[in-house]
PDB file of all heavy atoms in Angstrom:
ATOM      1  N   GLN A   1      14.456 -21.800  20.579  1.00 85.00           N
ATOM      2  CA  GLN A   1      14.076 -22.682  19.474  1.00 85.00           C
ATOM      3  C   GLN A   1      12.549 -22.725  19.319  1.00 85.00           C
ATOM      4  O   GLN A   1      12.028 -22.717  18.096  1.00 85.00           O
ATOM      5  CB  GLN A   1      14.577 -24.084  19.899  1.00 85.00           C
ATOM      6  CG  GLN A   1      16.155 -24.198  19.827  1.00 85.00           C
ATOM      7  CD  GLN A   1      16.578 -25.515  20.238  1.00 85.00           C
ATOM      8  OE1 GLN A   1      15.769 -26.339  20.785  1.00 85.00           O
ATOM      9  NE2 GLN A   1      17.954 -25.840  20.090  1.00 85.00           N
ATOM     10  N   GLU A   2      11.867 -22.669  20.386  1.00 82.00           N
ATOM     11  CA  GLU A   2      10.395 -22.641  20.351  1.00 82.00           C
ATOM     12  C   GLU A   2       9.864 -21.321  19.605  1.00 82.00           C
ATOM     13  O   GLU A   2       8.981 -21.403  18.744  1.00 82.00           O
ATOM     14  CB  GLU A   2       9.809 -22.662  21.704  1.00 82.00           C
ATOM     15  CG  GLU A   2       8.199 -22.750  21.702  1.00 82.00           C
ATOM     16  CD  GLU A   2       7.684 -22.886  23.056  1.00 82.00           C
ATOM     17  OE1 GLU A   2       8.489 -22.984  24.110  1.00 82.00           O
ATOM     18  OE2 GLU A   2       6.423 -22.910  23.291  1.00 82.00           O
ATOM     19  N   LYS A   3      10.544 -20.200  19.915  1.00 80.00           N
ATOM     20  CA  LYS A   3      10.191 -18.953  19.232  1.00 80.00           C
ATOM     21  C   LYS A   3      10.419 -19.008  17.824  1.00 80.00           C
ATOM     22  O   LYS A   3       9.686 -18.537  16.952  1.00 80.00           O
ATOM     23  CB  LYS A   3      10.902 -17.746  19.908  1.00 80.00           C
ATOM     24  CG  LYS A   3      10.536 -16.402  19.329  1.00 80.00           C
ATOM     25  CD  LYS A   3      11.233 -15.336  20.073  1.00 80.00           C
ATOM     26  CE  LYS A   3      10.966 -13.980  19.395  1.00 80.00           C
ATOM     27  NZ  LYS A   3      11.797 -12.855  20.144  1.00 80.00           N
ATOM     28  N   ALA A   4      11.621 -19.564  17.405  1.00 80.00           N
ATOM     29  CA  ALA A   4      12.053 -19.719  16.018  1.00 80.00           C
ATOM     30  C   ALA A   4      10.983 -20.667  15.266  1.00 80.00           C
ATOM     31  O   ALA A   4      10.719 -20.342  14.088  1.00 80.00           O
ATOM     32  CB  ALA A   4      13.451 -20.213  15.868  1.00 80.00           C
ATOM     33  N   THR A   5      10.655 -21.739  15.885  1.00 78.00           N
ATOM     34  CA  THR A   5       9.635 -22.619  15.246  1.00 78.00           C
ATOM     35  C   THR A   5       8.303 -21.972  15.042  1.00 78.00           C
ATOM     36  O   THR A   5       7.753 -22.105  13.967  1.00 78.00           O
ATOM     37  CB  THR A   5       9.468 -23.790  16.203  1.00 78.00           C
ATOM     38  OG1 THR A   5      10.711 -24.519  16.434  1.00 78.00           O
ATOM     39  CG2 THR A   5       8.510 -24.835  15.530  1.00 78.00           C
ATOM     40  N   VAL A   6       7.844 -21.159  16.064  1.00 74.00           N
ATOM     41  CA  VAL A   6       6.523 -20.471  15.895  1.00 74.00           C
ATOM     42  C   VAL A   6       6.724 -19.438  14.664  1.00 74.00           C
ATOM     43  O   VAL A   6       5.742 -19.375  13.917  1.00 74.00           O
ATOM     44  CB  VAL A   6       6.185 -19.771  17.098  1.00 74.00           C
ATOM     45  CG1 VAL A   6       5.036 -18.868  16.942  1.00 74.00           C
ATOM     46  CG2 VAL A   6       5.874 -20.876  18.254  1.00 74.00           C
ATOM     47  N   GLU A   7       7.827 -18.648  14.606  1.00 71.00           N
ATOM     48  CA  GLU A   7       7.929 -17.710  13.596  1.00 71.00           C
ATOM     49  C   GLU A   7       8.027 -18.414  12.191  1.00 71.00           C
ATOM     50  O   GLU A   7       7.494 -17.865  11.257  1.00 71.00           O
ATOM     51  CB  GLU A   7       9.239 -16.938  13.835  1.00 71.00           C
ATOM     52  CG  GLU A   7       9.114 -15.980  15.079  1.00 71.00           C
ATOM     53  CD  GLU A   7      10.411 -15.197  15.320  1.00 71.00           C
ATOM     54  OE1 GLU A   7      11.390 -15.487  14.571  1.00 71.00           O
ATOM     55  OE2 GLU A   7      10.348 -14.305  16.222  1.00 71.00           O
ATOM     56  N   LYS A   8       8.703 -19.477  12.141  1.00 70.00           N
ATOM     57  CA  LYS A   8       8.829 -20.280  10.967  1.00 70.00           C
ATOM     58  C   LYS A   8       7.413 -20.748  10.414  1.00 70.00           C
ATOM     59  O   LYS A   8       7.158 -20.739   9.261  1.00 70.00           O
ATOM     60  CB  LYS A   8       9.866 -21.423  11.076  1.00 70.00           C
ATOM     61  CG  LYS A   8      10.111 -22.119   9.687  1.00 70.00           C
ATOM     62  CD  LYS A   8      11.158 -23.172   9.967  1.00 70.00           C
ATOM     63  CE  LYS A   8      11.380 -24.016   8.625  1.00 70.00           C
ATOM     64  NZ  LYS A   8      12.461 -24.973   8.874  1.00 70.00           N
ATOM     65  N   THR A   9       6.689 -21.325  11.477  1.00 67.00           N
ATOM     66  CA  THR A   9       5.349 -21.820  11.070  1.00 67.00           C
ATOM     67  C   THR A   9       4.508 -20.746  10.586  1.00 67.00           C
ATOM     68  O   THR A   9       3.575 -20.837   9.657  1.00 67.00           O
ATOM     69  CB  THR A   9       4.789 -22.544  12.284  1.00 67.00           C
ATOM     70  OG1 THR A   9       5.619 -23.634  12.815  1.00 67.00           O
ATOM     71  CG2 THR A   9       3.325 -23.119  12.012  1.00 67.00           C
ATOM     72  N   SER A  10       4.548 -19.538  11.190  1.00 58.00           N
ATOM     73  CA  SER A  10       3.752 -18.389  10.974  1.00 58.00           C
ATOM     74  C   SER A  10       4.123 -17.895   9.582  1.00 58.00           C
ATOM     75  O   SER A  10       3.172 -17.493   8.751  1.00 58.00           O
ATOM     76  CB  SER A  10       3.856 -17.284  12.002  1.00 58.00           C
ATOM     77  OG  SER A  10       3.407 -17.795  13.265  1.00 58.00           O
ATOM     78  N   ALA A  11       5.433 -17.836   9.324  1.00 54.00           N
ATOM     79  CA  ALA A  11       5.861 -17.349   8.014  1.00 54.00           C
ATOM     80  C   ALA A  11       5.383 -18.305   6.909  1.00 54.00           C
ATOM     81  O   ALA A  11       5.055 -17.884   5.803  1.00 54.00           O
ATOM     82  CB  ALA A  11       7.412 -17.169   7.982  1.00 54.00           C
ATOM     83  N   ALA A  12       5.374 -19.649   7.096  1.00 54.00           N
ATOM     84  CA  ALA A  12       4.981 -20.586   6.229  1.00 54.00           C
ATOM     85  C   ALA A  12       3.471 -20.509   5.904  1.00 54.00           C
ATOM     86  O   ALA A  12       2.981 -20.702   4.765  1.00 54.00           O
ATOM     87  CB  ALA A  12       5.296 -21.948   6.644  1.00 54.00           C
ATOM     88  N   ALA A  13       2.745 -20.216   6.990  1.00 48.00           N
ATOM     89  CA  ALA A  13       1.269 -20.093   6.769  1.00 48.00           C
ATOM     90  C   ALA A  13       0.825 -18.895   6.163  1.00 48.00           C
ATOM     91  O   ALA A  13      -0.150 -18.767   5.548  1.00 48.00           O
ATOM     92  CB  ALA A  13       0.546 -20.265   8.166  1.00 48.00           C
ATOM     93  N   ARG A  14       1.692 -17.770   6.353  1.00 45.00           N
ATOM     94  CA  ARG A  14       1.306 -16.423   5.834  1.00 45.00           C
ATOM     95  C   ARG A  14       1.894 -16.342   4.367  1.00 45.00           C
ATOM     96  O   ARG A  14       3.006 -16.643   4.200  1.00 45.00           O
ATOM     97  CB  ARG A  14       1.999 -15.401   6.662  1.00 45.00           C
ATOM     98  CG  ARG A  14       1.659 -14.001   6.297  1.00 45.00           C
ATOM     99  CD  ARG A  14       2.115 -12.959   7.330  1.00 45.00           C
ATOM    100  NE  ARG A  14       3.604 -13.011   7.373  1.00 45.00           N
ATOM    101  CZ  ARG A  14       4.253 -13.577   8.429  1.00 45.00           C
ATOM    102  NH1 ARG A  14       3.562 -13.950   9.499  1.00 45.00           N
ATOM    103  NH2 ARG A  14       5.600 -13.554   8.541  1.00 45.00           N
ATOM    104  N   PRO A  15       1.094 -15.952   3.358  1.00 43.00           N
ATOM    105  CA  PRO A  15       1.500 -15.853   2.031  1.00 43.00           C
ATOM    106  C   PRO A  15       2.643 -14.727   1.957  1.00 43.00           C
ATOM    107  O   PRO A  15       2.458 -13.690   2.550  1.00 43.00           O
ATOM    108  CB  PRO A  15       0.260 -15.445   1.246  1.00 43.00           C
ATOM    109  CG  PRO A  15      -0.576 -14.881   2.280  1.00 43.00           C
ATOM    110  CD  PRO A  15      -0.320 -15.557   3.580  1.00 43.00           C
ATOM    111  N   THR A  16       3.567 -14.968   1.158  1.00 43.00           N
ATOM    112  CA  THR A  16       4.676 -14.078   1.051  1.00 43.00           C
ATOM    113  C   THR A  16       4.243 -13.060  -0.114  1.00 43.00           C
ATOM    114  O   THR A  16       3.273 -13.129  -0.642  1.00 43.00           O
ATOM    115  CB  THR A  16       5.926 -14.720   0.480  1.00 43.00           C
ATOM    116  OG1 THR A  16       5.684 -15.382  -0.756  1.00 43.00           O
ATOM    117  CG2 THR A  16       6.359 -15.824   1.536  1.00 43.00           C
ATOM    118  N   ASP A  17       5.177 -11.982  -0.185  1.00 44.00           N
ATOM    119  CA  ASP A  17       4.883 -10.935  -1.135  1.00 44.00           C
ATOM    120  C   ASP A  17       4.845 -11.492  -2.597  1.00 44.00           C
ATOM    121  O   ASP A  17       4.225 -10.839  -3.417  1.00 44.00           O
ATOM    122  CB  ASP A  17       5.906  -9.840  -1.008  1.00 44.00           C
ATOM    123  CG  ASP A  17       5.733  -9.045   0.292  1.00 44.00           C
ATOM    124  OD1 ASP A  17       4.675  -9.169   0.892  1.00 44.00           O
ATOM    125  OD2 ASP A  17       6.794  -8.348   0.746  1.00 44.00           O
ATOM    126  N   ARG A  18       5.556 -12.648  -2.811  1.00 49.00           N
ATOM    127  CA  ARG A  18       5.544 -13.062  -4.150  1.00 49.00           C
ATOM    128  C   ARG A  18       4.614 -14.164  -4.408  1.00 49.00           C
ATOM    129  O   ARG A  18       4.698 -14.920  -5.409  1.00 49.00           O
ATOM    130  CB  ARG A  18       6.931 -13.558  -4.449  1.00 49.00           C
ATOM    131  CG  ARG A  18       7.997 -12.342  -4.525  1.00 49.00           C
ATOM    132  CD  ARG A  18       9.438 -12.861  -4.890  1.00 49.00           C
ATOM    133  NE  ARG A  18      10.283 -11.720  -4.968  1.00 49.00           N
ATOM    134  CZ  ARG A  18      10.470 -11.025  -6.101  1.00 49.00           C
ATOM    135  NH1 ARG A  18       9.715 -11.386  -7.202  1.00 49.00           N
ATOM    136  NH2 ARG A  18      11.331 -10.018  -6.168  1.00 49.00           N
ATOM    137  N   THR A  19       3.747 -14.513  -3.514  1.00 57.00           N
ATOM    138  CA  THR A  19       2.708 -15.544  -3.730  1.00 57.00           C
ATOM    139  C   THR A  19       1.459 -14.841  -4.377  1.00 57.00           C
ATOM    140  O   THR A  19       0.990 -13.833  -3.917  1.00 57.00           O
ATOM    141  CB  THR A  19       2.306 -16.232  -2.359  1.00 57.00           C
ATOM    142  OG1 THR A  19       3.447 -16.760  -1.779  1.00 57.00           O
ATOM    143  CG2 THR A  19       1.276 -17.227  -2.589  1.00 57.00           C
ATOM    144  N   LEU A  20       0.981 -15.536  -5.353  1.00 65.00           N
ATOM    145  CA  LEU A  20      -0.119 -15.020  -6.205  1.00 65.00           C
ATOM    146  C   LEU A  20      -1.265 -15.973  -6.301  1.00 65.00           C
ATOM    147  O   LEU A  20      -1.075 -17.106  -6.740  1.00 65.00           O
ATOM    148  CB  LEU A  20       0.350 -14.532  -7.555  1.00 65.00           C
ATOM    149  CG  LEU A  20      -0.799 -13.990  -8.562  1.00 65.00           C
ATOM    150  CD1 LEU A  20      -1.432 -12.778  -8.014  1.00 65.00           C
ATOM    151  CD2 LEU A  20      -0.219 -13.860  -9.907  1.00 65.00           C
ATOM    152  N   ASP A  21      -2.453 -15.702  -5.928  1.00 85.00           N
ATOM    153  CA  ASP A  21      -3.600 -16.559  -6.261  1.00 85.00           C
ATOM    154  C   ASP A  21      -4.080 -16.206  -7.629  1.00 85.00           C
ATOM    155  O   ASP A  21      -5.024 -15.351  -7.749  1.00 85.00           O
ATOM    156  CB  ASP A  21      -4.672 -16.311  -5.146  1.00 85.00           C
ATOM    157  CG  ASP A  21      -5.856 -17.249  -5.263  1.00 85.00           C
ATOM    158  OD1 ASP A  21      -5.862 -17.991  -6.291  1.00 85.00           O
ATOM    159  OD2 ASP A  21      -6.771 -17.192  -4.439  1.00 85.00           O
ATOM    160  N   PHE A  22      -3.473 -16.781  -8.581  1.00 85.00           N
ATOM    161  CA  PHE A  22      -3.677 -16.364 -10.100  1.00 85.00           C
ATOM    162  C   PHE A  22      -5.080 -16.546 -10.513  1.00 85.00           C
ATOM    163  O   PHE A  22      -5.663 -15.707 -11.285  1.00 85.00           O
ATOM    164  CB  PHE A  22      -2.651 -17.093 -10.918  1.00 85.00           C
ATOM    165  CG  PHE A  22      -2.641 -18.525 -10.772  1.00 85.00           C
ATOM    166  CD1 PHE A  22      -3.568 -19.260 -11.546  1.00 85.00           C
ATOM    167  CD2 PHE A  22      -1.700 -19.130 -10.000  1.00 85.00           C
ATOM    168  CE1 PHE A  22      -3.532 -20.687 -11.463  1.00 85.00           C
ATOM    169  CE2 PHE A  22      -1.767 -20.548  -9.930  1.00 85.00           C
ATOM    170  CZ  PHE A  22      -2.614 -21.370 -10.649  1.00 85.00           C
ATOM    171  N   ALA A  23      -5.736 -17.655 -10.051  1.00 89.00           N
ATOM    172  CA  ALA A  23      -7.107 -17.812 -10.412  1.00 89.00           C
ATOM    173  C   ALA A  23      -8.043 -16.671  -9.880  1.00 89.00           C
ATOM    174  O   ALA A  23      -8.869 -16.149 -10.668  1.00 89.00           O
ATOM    175  CB  ALA A  23      -7.622 -19.167 -10.011  1.00 89.00           C
ATOM    176  N   ALA A  24      -7.890 -16.313  -8.609  1.00 91.00           N
ATOM    177  CA  ALA A  24      -8.720 -15.273  -8.107  1.00 91.00           C
ATOM    178  C   ALA A  24      -8.422 -13.918  -8.749  1.00 91.00           C
ATOM    179  O   ALA A  24      -9.358 -13.183  -8.985  1.00 91.00           O
ATOM    180  CB  ALA A  24      -8.451 -15.155  -6.586  1.00 91.00           C
ATOM    181  N   VAL A  25      -7.220 -13.632  -9.009  1.00 92.00           N
ATOM    182  CA  VAL A  25      -6.814 -12.322  -9.654  1.00 92.00           C
ATOM    183  C   VAL A  25      -7.419 -12.300 -11.098  1.00 92.00           C
ATOM    184  O   VAL A  25      -7.993 -11.313 -11.510  1.00 92.00           O
ATOM    185  CB  VAL A  25      -5.307 -12.162  -9.744  1.00 92.00           C
ATOM    186  CG1 VAL A  25      -4.940 -10.949 -10.628  1.00 92.00           C
ATOM    187  CG2 VAL A  25      -4.728 -11.988  -8.229  1.00 92.00           C
ATOM    188  N   ALA A  26      -7.313 -13.450 -11.837  1.00 92.00           N
ATOM    189  CA  ALA A  26      -7.952 -13.478 -13.166  1.00 92.00           C
ATOM    190  C   ALA A  26      -9.390 -13.201 -13.137  1.00 92.00           C
ATOM    191  O   ALA A  26      -9.931 -12.446 -13.936  1.00 92.00           O
ATOM    192  CB  ALA A  26      -7.526 -14.780 -13.832  1.00 92.00           C
ATOM    193  N   ARG A  27     -10.139 -13.863 -12.215  1.00 93.00           N
ATOM    194  CA  ARG A  27     -11.536 -13.645 -12.192  1.00 93.00           C
ATOM    195  C   ARG A  27     -11.944 -12.250 -11.811  1.00 93.00           C
ATOM    196  O   ARG A  27     -12.812 -11.613 -12.252  1.00 93.00           O
ATOM    197  CB  ARG A  27     -12.149 -14.612 -11.065  1.00 93.00           C
ATOM    198  CG  ARG A  27     -12.150 -16.105 -11.518  1.00 93.00           C
ATOM    199  CD  ARG A  27     -12.973 -16.919 -10.653  1.00 93.00           C
ATOM    200  NE  ARG A  27     -12.471 -16.916  -9.302  1.00 93.00           N
ATOM    201  CZ  ARG A  27     -11.614 -17.895  -8.863  1.00 93.00           C
ATOM    202  NH1 ARG A  27     -11.244 -18.841  -9.623  1.00 93.00           N
ATOM    203  NH2 ARG A  27     -11.201 -17.849  -7.536  1.00 93.00           N
ATOM    204  N   LYS A  28     -11.090 -11.635 -10.830  1.00 92.00           N
ATOM    205  CA  LYS A  28     -11.306 -10.258 -10.421  1.00 92.00           C
ATOM    206  C   LYS A  28     -11.084  -9.279 -11.590  1.00 92.00           C
ATOM    207  O   LYS A  28     -11.917  -8.378 -11.862  1.00 92.00           O
ATOM    208  CB  LYS A  28     -10.393  -9.843  -9.351  1.00 92.00           C
ATOM    209  CG  LYS A  28     -10.584  -8.492  -8.761  1.00 92.00           C
ATOM    210  CD  LYS A  28      -9.554  -8.090  -7.762  1.00 92.00           C
ATOM    211  CE  LYS A  28      -9.673  -9.010  -6.525  1.00 92.00           C
ATOM    212  NZ  LYS A  28      -8.678  -8.597  -5.494  1.00 92.00           N
ATOM    213  N   LEU A  29     -10.165  -9.462 -12.432  1.00 93.00           N
ATOM    214  CA  LEU A  29      -9.853  -8.662 -13.621  1.00 93.00           C
ATOM    215  C   LEU A  29     -10.961  -8.798 -14.528  1.00 93.00           C
ATOM    216  O   LEU A  29     -11.422  -7.789 -15.125  1.00 93.00           O
ATOM    217  CB  LEU A  29      -8.542  -8.929 -14.283  1.00 93.00           C
ATOM    218  CG  LEU A  29      -7.261  -8.654 -13.418  1.00 93.00           C
ATOM    219  CD1 LEU A  29      -5.981  -9.266 -14.025  1.00 93.00           C
ATOM    220  CD2 LEU A  29      -7.130  -7.138 -13.340  1.00 93.00           C
ATOM    221  N   VAL A  30     -11.467 -10.010 -14.788  1.00 93.00           N
ATOM    222  CA  VAL A  30     -12.614 -10.161 -15.776  1.00 93.00           C
ATOM    223  C   VAL A  30     -13.817  -9.518 -15.306  1.00 93.00           C
ATOM    224  O   VAL A  30     -14.649  -8.890 -16.094  1.00 93.00           O
ATOM    225  CB  VAL A  30     -12.744 -11.641 -16.045  1.00 93.00           C
ATOM    226  CG1 VAL A  30     -13.970 -11.903 -16.831  1.00 93.00           C
ATOM    227  CG2 VAL A  30     -11.472 -12.235 -16.724  1.00 93.00           C
ATOM    228  N   ARG A  31     -14.147  -9.630 -14.004  1.00 92.00           N
ATOM    229  CA  ARG A  31     -15.369  -8.990 -13.460  1.00 92.00           C
ATOM    230  C   ARG A  31     -15.379  -7.540 -13.581  1.00 92.00           C
ATOM    231  O   ARG A  31     -16.438  -6.900 -13.719  1.00 92.00           O
ATOM    232  CB  ARG A  31     -15.397  -9.343 -11.987  1.00 92.00           C
ATOM    233  CG  ARG A  31     -15.945 -10.723 -11.663  1.00 92.00           C
ATOM    234  CD  ARG A  31     -16.456 -10.956 -10.183  1.00 92.00           C
ATOM    235  NE  ARG A  31     -15.466 -10.491  -9.206  1.00 92.00           N
ATOM    236  CZ  ARG A  31     -14.615 -11.375  -8.629  1.00 92.00           C
ATOM    237  NH1 ARG A  31     -14.614 -12.531  -8.999  1.00 92.00           N
ATOM    238  NH2 ARG A  31     -13.708 -10.882  -7.745  1.00 92.00           N
ATOM    239  N   ARG A  32     -14.159  -6.864 -13.620  1.00 91.00           N
ATOM    240  CA  ARG A  32     -14.156  -5.428 -13.749  1.00 91.00           C
ATOM    241  C   ARG A  32     -14.332  -4.976 -15.148  1.00 91.00           C
ATOM    242  O   ARG A  32     -14.472  -3.665 -15.335  1.00 91.00           O
ATOM    243  CB  ARG A  32     -12.730  -4.896 -13.209  1.00 91.00           C
ATOM    244  CG  ARG A  32     -12.661  -5.092 -11.705  1.00 91.00           C
ATOM    245  CD  ARG A  32     -11.278  -4.602 -11.274  1.00 91.00           C
ATOM    246  NE  ARG A  32     -11.101  -4.576  -9.782  1.00 91.00           N
ATOM    247  CZ  ARG A  32      -9.935  -4.406  -9.150  1.00 91.00           C
ATOM    248  NH1 ARG A  32      -8.961  -4.080  -9.760  1.00 91.00           N
ATOM    249  NH2 ARG A  32      -9.956  -4.364  -7.816  1.00 91.00           N
ATOM    250  N   ILE A  33     -14.360  -5.895 -16.205  1.00 90.00           N
ATOM    251  CA  ILE A  33     -14.620  -5.474 -17.546  1.00 90.00           C
ATOM    252  C   ILE A  33     -16.071  -5.614 -17.734  1.00 90.00           C
ATOM    253  O   ILE A  33     -16.740  -6.489 -17.515  1.00 90.00           O
ATOM    254  CB  ILE A  33     -13.903  -6.380 -18.480  1.00 90.00           C
ATOM    255  CG1 ILE A  33     -12.316  -6.497 -18.131  1.00 90.00           C
ATOM    256  CG2 ILE A  33     -14.181  -6.018 -19.847  1.00 90.00           C
ATOM    257  CD1 ILE A  33     -11.694  -5.152 -18.345  1.00 90.00           C
ATOM    258  N   PRO A  34     -16.703  -4.364 -18.243  1.00 87.00           N
ATOM    259  CA  PRO A  34     -18.112  -4.392 -18.501  1.00 87.00           C
ATOM    260  C   PRO A  34     -18.440  -5.380 -19.640  1.00 87.00           C
ATOM    261  O   PRO A  34     -17.641  -5.597 -20.539  1.00 87.00           O
ATOM    262  CB  PRO A  34     -18.417  -2.996 -18.964  1.00 87.00           C
ATOM    263  CG  PRO A  34     -17.218  -2.127 -18.375  1.00 87.00           C
ATOM    264  CD  PRO A  34     -16.039  -3.081 -18.430  1.00 87.00           C
ATOM    265  N   GLU A  35     -19.658  -5.940 -19.471  1.00 83.00           N
ATOM    266  CA  GLU A  35     -20.067  -7.011 -20.460  1.00 83.00           C
ATOM    267  C   GLU A  35     -20.252  -6.412 -21.883  1.00 83.00           C
ATOM    268  O   GLU A  35     -20.025  -7.076 -22.850  1.00 83.00           O
ATOM    269  CB  GLU A  35     -21.337  -7.758 -20.027  1.00 83.00           C
ATOM    270  CG  GLU A  35     -21.250  -8.550 -18.748  1.00 83.00           C
ATOM    271  CD  GLU A  35     -22.361  -9.265 -18.414  1.00 83.00           C
ATOM    272  OE1 GLU A  35     -23.388  -9.165 -19.214  1.00 83.00           O
ATOM    273  OE2 GLU A  35     -22.400 -10.032 -17.412  1.00 83.00           O
ATOM    274  N   ASN A  36     -20.626  -5.162 -21.953  1.00 84.00           N
ATOM    275  CA  ASN A  36     -20.787  -4.527 -23.239  1.00 84.00           C
ATOM    276  C   ASN A  36     -19.568  -3.806 -23.735  1.00 84.00           C
ATOM    277  O   ASN A  36     -19.694  -2.878 -24.473  1.00 84.00           O
ATOM    278  CB  ASN A  36     -21.965  -3.661 -23.214  1.00 84.00           C
ATOM    279  CG  ASN A  36     -21.964  -2.588 -22.142  1.00 84.00           C
ATOM    280  OD1 ASN A  36     -21.007  -2.567 -21.296  1.00 84.00           O
ATOM    281  ND2 ASN A  36     -22.757  -1.628 -22.214  1.00 84.00           N
ATOM    282  N   ALA A  37     -18.394  -4.079 -23.137  1.00 83.00           N
ATOM    283  CA  ALA A  37     -17.194  -3.210 -23.468  1.00 83.00           C
ATOM    284  C   ALA A  37     -16.705  -3.598 -24.912  1.00 83.00           C
ATOM    285  O   ALA A  37     -16.869  -4.724 -25.464  1.00 83.00           O
ATOM    286  CB  ALA A  37     -16.037  -3.582 -22.473  1.00 83.00           C
TER     287      ALA A  37
END
């Protein structure tokens, strides 16, 4: 039970494959566009 609790807590703290920091991704995409494009 303790091992399952630790794994569950770790999984909750670790972002899943489908979690997206959309604000950070948007800023990163805009930074990659040259200002004179």
